[in-house]
């Protein structure tokens, strides 16, 4: 199965190891992974800020950078949701509509792809500790992803998953929301982290790097004994032991 990798901006700039781990994970699932180094942004920042003309220009490049002939997989539900749903606002009725629809049909967030397309859930991962899973807003509400990450994490040896209070509540990032409403954003991050600490968790796991960035910033600021980690990085941990 040939797969094209879409690496979101946050991961490209701040968490490049997660991108490499995504390739490792997909290859272990039996996929042939290709990466177009010319790819850039999906246009979500401009779209969310109301600059739809600018978002359309970026989105047109995205559509040109990816093929409609293969699955497109991303370690980000936020960016996947942008392409899968918000591109309707940008390209419906345009000359790119047909190609856009084909791309939308083929793009998947990685946990959704592994569980529902490839139908593989065990990769030999090992990670000792207690963890909570944070439902990123885009994953849960746009992409309808809830059980897939939990199912994959249940197969990780040594990892005890516990359900945290308000797991479906936003972490406070929300793109420009965290800049425009910094005080509210920080309070929301505090609530998420404190709820995880109440469960004696060692890790907060999620599918979106933006959520992890938001929560880790609060953790680092107060030097708290907990760590954020991307789902992909969990699923590629401990492979040397098998």
């Amino acid at each position: 199965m040939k797969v094209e990798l879409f690496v979101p901006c946050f991961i490209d700039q701040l968490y490049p190891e997660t991108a490499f781990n995504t390739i490792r994970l997909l290859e272990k699932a039996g996929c042939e992974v290709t990466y177009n180094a010319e790819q850039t942004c999906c246009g979500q920042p401009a779209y969310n800020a109301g600059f739809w003309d600018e978002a359309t220009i970026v989105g047109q490049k995205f559509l040109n950078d990816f093929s409609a002939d293969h699955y497109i997989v991303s370690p980000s539900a936020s960016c996947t949701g942008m392409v899968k749903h918000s591109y309707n606002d940008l390209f419906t009725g345009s000359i790119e509509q047909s190609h856009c629809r084909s791309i939308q049909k083929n793009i998947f967030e990685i946990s959704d792809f592994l569980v529902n397309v490839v139908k593989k859930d065990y990769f030999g991962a090992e990670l000792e500790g207690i963890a909570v899973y944070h439902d990123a807003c885009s994953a849960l509400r746009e992409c309808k992803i809830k059980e897939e990450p939990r199912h994959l994490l249940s197969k990780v040896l040594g990892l005890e998953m516990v359900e945290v209070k308000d797991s479906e509540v936003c972490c406070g990032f929300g793109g420009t929301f965290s800049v425009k409403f910094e005080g509210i954003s920080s309070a929301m991050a505090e609530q998420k982290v404190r709820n995880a600490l109440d469960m004696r968790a060692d890790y907060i796991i999620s599918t979106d790097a933006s959520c992890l960035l938001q929560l880790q910033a609060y953790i680092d600021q107060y030097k708290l004994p907990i760590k954020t980690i991307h789902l992909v990085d969990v699923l590629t941990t401990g492979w040397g032991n098998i």
Side-chain angles (χ1 to χ4, degrees), residues 49-123:
F51 296 98
W52 284 21
D53 290 342
E54 290 79 358
T56 299
I57 294 171
V58 178
Q60 286 171 334
K61 183 180 187 312
F62 182 95
L63 295 177
N64 291 334
D65 286 340
F66 290 91
S67 166
D69 299 326
H70 308 116
Y71 288 113
I72 303 163
V73 180
S74 176
S76 167
S78 177
C79 296
T80 299
M82 171 65 189
V83 176
K84 212 169 188 66
H85 302 291
S86 299
Y87 272 23
N88 291 336
D89 293 326
L90 304 181
F91 298 108
T92 296
S94 71
I95 59 173
E96 292 93 351
Q97 178 174 320
S98 178
H99 180 57
C100 179
R101 295 292 182 267
S102 298
I103 293 289
Q104 289 176 313
K105 184 173 64 177
N106 287 342
I107 191 167
F108 287 85
E109 181 273 335
I110 190 163
S111 71
D112 185 18
F113 181 74
L114 293 174
V115 173
N116 297 318
V117 179
V118 181
K119 299 189 184 303
K120 292 189 177 181
D121 58 14
Y122 176 70
F123 300 95

Side-chain angles (χ1 to χ4, degrees), residues 12-202:
D12 178 55
Q13 296 296 313
L14 301 175
Y15 303 100
E17 190 61 31
T18 300
F20 288 110
N21 284 338
T22 303
I23 296 173
R24 295 173 64 213
L25 189 60
L26 288 168
E27 288 179 341
K28 192 149 190 173
C31 300
E32 177 189 346
V33 184
T34 62
Y35 174 73
N36 181 359
E38 297 301 314
Q39 65 179 268
T40 53
C41 179
C42 65
Q44 184 177 188
Y47 175 84
N48 287 346
F51 296 98
W52 284 21
D53 290 342
E54 290 79 358
T56 299
I57 294 171
V58 178
Q60 286 171 334
K61 183 180 187 312
F62 182 95
L63 295 177
N64 291 334
D65 286 340
F66 290 91
S67 166
D69 299 326
H70 308 116
Y71 288 113
I72 303 163
V73 180
S74 176
S76 167
S78 177
C79 296
T80 299
M82 171 65 189
V83 176
K84 212 169 188 66
H85 302 291
S86 299
Y87 272 23
N88 291 336
D89 293 326
L90 304 181
F91 298 108
T92 296
S94 71
I95 59 173
E96 292 93 351
Q97 178 174 320
S98 178
H99 180 57
C100 179
R101 295 292 182 267
S102 298
I103 293 289
Q104 289 176 313
K105 184 173 64 177
N106 287 342
I107 191 167
F108 287 85
E109 181 273 335
I110 190 163
S111 71
D112 185 18
F113 181 74
L114 293 174
V115 173
N116 297 318
V117 179
V118 181
K119 299 189 184 303
K120 292 189 177 181
D121 58 14
Y122 176 70
F123 300 95
E126 296 184 15
L127 180 64
E128 293 287 337
I130 300 172
V132 299
Y133 179 76
H134 162 63
D135 289 285
C137 293
S138 295
L140 184 67
R141 295 170 177 84
E142 274 194 300
C143 299
K144 310 303 180 186
I145 296 168
K146 182 174 176 66
E147 297 305 325
E148 290 85 353
R150 290 171 169 83
H151 181 68
L152 292 167
L153 291 167
S154 72
K155 304 293 182 179
V156 177
L157 186 64
L159 188 64
E160 179 186 350
M161 295 299 302
V162 294
E163 279 296 324
V164 67
K165 178 183 177 183
D166 298 330
S167 66
E168 298 182 358
V169 174
C170 179
C171 68
F173 180 71
T176 55
F177 176 87
S178 61
V179 178
K180 293 179 180 178
F181 304 99
E182 182 181 356
I184 299 173
S185 174
S186 297
M188 293 170 75
E190 177 182 13
Q191 182 183 50
K192 298 295 294 187
V193 174
R194 295 296 174 183
N195 285 345
L197 288 171
D198 288 344
M199 302 301 295
R200 299 183 179 179
D202 302 295

